Amino acid sequence: MRTTNAFDVCLLDDDPSVLKGLGRLFSSADLDAKTFGDPEEFLRYAQTHRPSVALIDVCMPLMSGLEVQSRLAKISPSTRVIIFTGKDDPLVRSTALNAGASAFLTKPFDDEELLTAIRLALTFVR
Amino acid sequence: MKIAFSKYGGELLTRKRLAPWIIGFVAVGLVAGVCGSFLLGNRLWLLAIAVFGIAGILLCLGVAVAIFPTQSEVNEAPSVPIEESMPESIPHWDYRPRKPIRARAVLGSASAETSDGLSSDLFEINNNAWLNDNSLGGADPAFVDGPPETEETRTEALPRTTDPVRSAPTVEDASFDVRLKSYRQSTRGG
């Protein structure tokens, strides 16, 4: 069951500058966002809070974003997943999308593109 | 109505700032003059010279302190507000000129991505964003059972058309399609 006071959007990336920049973007867009740098911490949070949307970076040192996506699908199936990466690999993209990702973004992406994907995912969740 | 400002306002402000220093100079000069004349009257030449010397040093130091801070304030004052008013830049974030958002099938593009197993439910925003229309049902069971471990893993993705569960339309799929069509129309209109 989803608990109260949960963030609508969770962001997982190992790069602190990306977390900081996207956090500011979400604040400016009036989105309740929580940022994570550790995949395990994010999964623990998702298991208890069931966020609506999760933005996950693919390339992370501790755990791949695709693996996080698969584990997230088990512990929180209702969470919509948006995958983003700096390396546009068609196979990774197709794998992520076929696994149920709502969107796949390659960096650098426009802020409006990201917000569009998030709002679309939130629309389908609600 | 045009409001005229005094051309010499800066000079007046400078004079106000320098007024305490001028008063101090006059006081030091008077004290030194009185003491020096007294000492000279008593023929204490060395003391008189010392008093005048100390007074001269004080006057020089006062002039220097009064002049140099005023010049430094004039030179540095405009730079401080400009630095504070500069917008904070977000590192590693791309603010390119926004392109019109358009929806089009990936399969119709010229890129060689038709062999990737992408379904026709995907549509693309610009050139680096792909939205998955058919992700309402959550993760694909085949993926959940055995996901690739790393980004470089090469596994063949199964096309969605082979999934018999997804081929059957449901009430959720119908509502999803309605919302997706309305969203696409809104993005095309904007």
Side-chain angles (χ1 to χ4, degrees):
Chain A
M1 175 182 289
R2 182 176 174 175
T3 60
T4 56
N5 298 327
F7 288 89
D8 286 335
V9 179
C10 285
L11 173 62
L12 173 62
D13 196 321
D14 60 313
D15 191 348
S17 62
V18 173
L19 296 177
K20 187 177 180 182
L22 291 182
R24 289 178 179 173
L25 175 65
F26 295 154
S27 298
S28 65
D30 293 331
L31 287 173
D32 292 330
K34 185 172 179 61
T35 58
F36 296 90
D38 184 12
E40 293 291 348
E41 181 186 358
F42 164 71
L43 290 172
R44 283 195 297 270
Y45 178 86
Q47 191 170 13
T48 55
H49 293 82
R50 305 288 177 84
S52 301
V53 176
L55 277 83
I56 303 172
D57 183 27
V58 173
C59 190
M60 291 183 291
L62 297 177
M63 189 185 301
S64 168
L66 298 179
E67 185 179 352
V68 174
Q69 182 188 5
S70 69
R71 292 178 60 177
L72 182 65
K74 294 176 183 176
I75 62 178
S76 179
S78 62
T79 300
R80 309 278 293 180
V81 177
I82 296 174
I83 300 290
F84 63 96
T85 181
K87 187 172 66 175
D88 185 16
D89 189 337
L91 191 57
V92 173
R93 185 199 321 147
S94 64
T95 304
L97 292 174
N98 284 330
S102 301
F104 186 90
L105 306 175
T106 56
K107 292 185 282 189
F109 45 79
D110 192 85
D111 53 356
E112 195 61 35
E113 293 172 354
L114 178 62
L115 293 177
T116 299
I118 292 174
R119 285 167 182 150
L120 183 62
L122 288 172
T123 302
F124 291 153
V125 167
R126 289 164 184 165
Chain B
M1 179 179 178
K2 188 176 180 180
I3 301 174
F5 291 96
S6 172
K7 185 179 178 181
Y8 303 101
E11 291 184 3
L12 289 174
L13 289 174
T14 305
R15 286 177 185 176
K16 283 184 179 179
R17 289 177 184 173
L18 292 178
W21 293 100
I22 294 172
I23 294 172
F25 296 156
V26 172
V28 169
L30 285 175
V31 171
V34 171
C35 292
S37 61
F38 176 75
L39 294 173
L40 287 175
N42 291 330
R43 296 184 178 180
L44 299 172
W45 310 108
L46 293 178
L47 284 176
I49 292 172
V51 167
F52 284 128
I54 291 171
I57 291 171
L58 287 177
L59 289 176
C60 290
L61 288 177
V63 169
V65 171
I67 290 176
F68 284 117
T70 306
Q71 289 183 347
S72 63
E73 285 177 4
V74 171
N75 293 332
E76 294 177 1
S79 63
V80 175
I82 290 173
E83 289 178 358
E84 290 178 353
S85 62
M86 285 179 65
E88 252 185 280
S89 62
I90 301 174
H92 304 298
W93 188 247
D94 182 39
Y95 284 100
R96 296 168 299 170
R98 295 177 182 175
K99 304 170 185 176
I101 295 176
R102 64 189 187 278
R104 58 189 170 97
V106 174
L107 293 176
S109 64
S111 61
E113 295 171 354
T114 55
S115 61
D116 295 332
L118 296 175
S119 67
S120 59
D121 294 323
L122 308 177
F123 67 96
E124 183 181 353
I125 298 177
N126 291 333
N127 294 319
N128 58 346
W130 289 264
L131 298 184
N132 189 2
D133 299 356
N134 201 18
S135 62
L136 185 64
D140 194 307
F143 182 87
V144 172
D145 292 339
E149 293 183 355
T150 62
E151 199 171 357
E152 289 75 18
T153 305
R154 296 290 184 270
T155 56
E156 180 117 15
L158 294 175
R160 288 186 172 275
T161 53
T162 59
D163 191 351
V165 177
R166 293 186 180 280
S167 62
T170 62
V171 177
E172 286 185 343
D173 292 337
S175 62
F176 176 87
D177 291 339
V178 170
R179 282 183 288 177
L180 180 62
K181 285 177 182 176
S182 62
Y183 181 81
R184 280 177 167 175
Q185 288 173 354
S186 64
T187 54
R188 283 172 182 163

